[in-house]
């Protein structure tokens, strides 16, 4: 199923959060969420009305209604993934190491040619 910003979703115990959502302002709106995949925290985090929960998390306790804020590449998880894409640009350290390697290879070729 496709969700878009503005959709209302019911987040209940055991559900994966489908997108970045904001918990609706309802009395007693509280859920515990396992964010280990995003933050590495081993314990669930409690979220209250008005808080934002992130895609890739799992509800471990409670039930709330939330409004989808961001989907796809606009989510926290999507932005993090876009940082990891390969842009084929060499870092300063990689450029220095390539220069050193070229010098060492040149020296090796010259030494082999002399012998």
């Amino acid at each position: 199923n496709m969700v878009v910003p503005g959709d209302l979703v019911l987040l209940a115990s055991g559900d994966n959060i489908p997108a970045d959502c904001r918990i609706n302002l309802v009395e007693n709106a509280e859920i515990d969420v396992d964010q280990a995949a995003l933050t590495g925290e081993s314990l669930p985090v409690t979220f209250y009305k008005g808080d934002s929960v992130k895609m890739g998390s799992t509800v471990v306790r409670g039930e709330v209604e939330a409004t989808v804020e961001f989907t796809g590449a606009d989510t926290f998880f999507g932005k993090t993934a876009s940082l990891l894409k390969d842009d084929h640009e060499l870092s300063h350290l990689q450029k220095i190491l390539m220069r050193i390697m070229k010098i060492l290879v040149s020296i090796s070729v010259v030494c082999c040619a002399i012998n």
Side-chain angles (χ1 to χ4, degrees):
N1 294 339
M2 302 272 292
V3 294
V4 296
D7 281 355
L8 293 178
V9 292
L10 180 65
L11 303 175
S13 188
D15 288 347
N16 290 323
I17 297 174
D20 288 0
C21 302
R22 182 156 314 273
I23 298 173
N24 291 340
L25 300 173
V26 178
E27 288 298 317
N28 301 324
E30 175 183 319
I31 56 173
D32 288 343
V33 177
D34 177 9
Q35 298 186 74
L38 298 175
T39 64
E41 287 186 59
S42 60
L43 298 174
V45 178
T46 302
F47 288 91
Y48 302 95
K49 58 184 176 182
D51 289 343
S52 182
V53 292
K54 306 297 182 201
M55 181 179 96
S57 305
T58 304
V59 179
V60 293
R61 186 190 63 79
E63 182 175 298
V64 297
E65 189 178 85
T67 303
V68 174
E69 289 187 306
F70 304 105
T71 59
D74 295 328
T75 63
F76 176 81
F77 195 77
K79 289 177 182 176
T80 303
S82 70
L83 293 174
L84 299 175
K85 72 178 183 180
D86 190 14
D87 59 0
H88 301 297
E89 186 174 321
L90 295 177
S91 69
H92 182 66
L93 177 62
Q94 288 174 317
K95 290 176 184 177
I96 291 171
L97 291 175
M98 288 296 286
R99 191 176 312 146
I100 291 170
M101 183 201 61
K102 288 176 183 178
I103 291 169
L104 291 174
V105 168
S106 299
I107 291 171
S108 295
V109 168
V110 169
C111 288
C112 288
I114 292 172
N115 289 334

